[in-house]
Amino acid sequence: MISHPSRHCTVELQALPSRIGQVRRIVSAQLRYWHMDVLIDRASLGVTELLSNVHRHAQPDKTCTVEIELLLDRLKVSVHDHDPRLPVVADAGPLATCGRGLAMVAAMSESWGVLPDDPGKVVWFTLPAPSAAEPAAWDRRPHLTAAGGDRPRFTEVALGDHVAGVHRPEPAPARSAVPG
């Protein structure tokens, strides 16, 4: 039986600055495991902004759950907190030092939204997943080809698709040493 990597990851935490960095590293490791390296920067930025909003605004507590889910053609990242107040995209002025988080999430994501969820709310965003038809960068190997003739004068290096029969061990799933 072929086992497939889990397409879902959930982390519960207190949205404190030190924990936000840990969750960002967990999200990055999980995306590497899913071979979605191209999404790491945007997913990390988005989850950082959403967790920063929980840290700054959520009442009565900072407890939240981060969920990342790999769907057929997109990655969905969501943060659930216990504060029922819905966030508003601020119109931050050019000299403002805060208030741009949701605007950045909206700009870098494919879609985003907020859903009331008793207790609290869920703020989410999606990113388009890389095409499955295109081999991932980790699955391409350089190979040498002759430039023509019996004795090659030049050698070209080209990226080729993964060679059949060569086994690459699957990376281990991301695990957190952080309880919760």
Side-chain angles (χ1 to χ4, degrees):
M1 182 170 139
I2 298 174
S3 68
H4 297 284
S6 172
R7 301 295 184 181
H8 185 265
C9 178
T10 304
V11 179
E12 294 182 41
L13 69 142
Q14 289 286 324
L16 303 173
S18 62
R19 300 298 299 268
I20 293 171
Q22 291 171 340
V23 171
R24 193 170 46 244
R25 288 187 292 278
I26 291 168
V27 167
S28 296
Q30 188 65 53
L31 290 176
R32 278 189 202 92
Y33 177 68
W34 288 339
H35 308 295
M36 299 285 168
D37 298 46
V38 298
L39 300 180
I40 289 173
D41 289 342
R42 289 191 294 160
S44 295
L45 172 66
V47 79
T48 298
E49 290 302 327
L50 296 184
L51 289 173
S52 295
N53 283 348
V54 173
H55 173 69
R56 184 172 289 121
H57 302 292
Q59 300 293 329
D61 62 46
K62 307 301 180 190
T63 303
C64 63
T65 302
V66 175
E67 182 177 9
I68 59 174
E69 186 176 11
L70 186 57
L71 306 170
L72 290 176
D73 60 348
R74 68 185 45 87
L75 178 76
K76 182 178 182 182
V77 179
S78 57
V79 175
H80 175 267
D81 67 51
H82 298 122
D83 188 342
R85 296 175 298 158
L86 301 181
V88 177
V89 178
D91 187 17
L95 300 178
T97 58
C98 61
R100 293 187 179 87
L102 284 178
M104 284 192 337
V105 169
M108 65 86 190
S109 65
E110 177 182 63
S111 61
W112 77 280
V114 181
L115 296 170
D117 189 42
D118 192 27
K121 66 184 168 297
V122 177
V123 184
W124 57 270
F125 65 90
T126 63
L127 299 171
S131 170
E134 181 179 317
W138 62 267
D139 202 22
R140 296 172 60 87
R141 310 265 197 286
H143 67 272
L144 300 177
T145 59
D150 292 341
R151 300 188 64 177
R153 291 183 57 199
F154 303 100
T155 302
E156 296 175 348
V157 176
L159 287 177
D161 292 338
H162 179 67
V163 179
V166 176
H167 175 71
R168 286 182 50 111
E170 288 293 319
R175 298 196 188 277
S176 173
V178 178

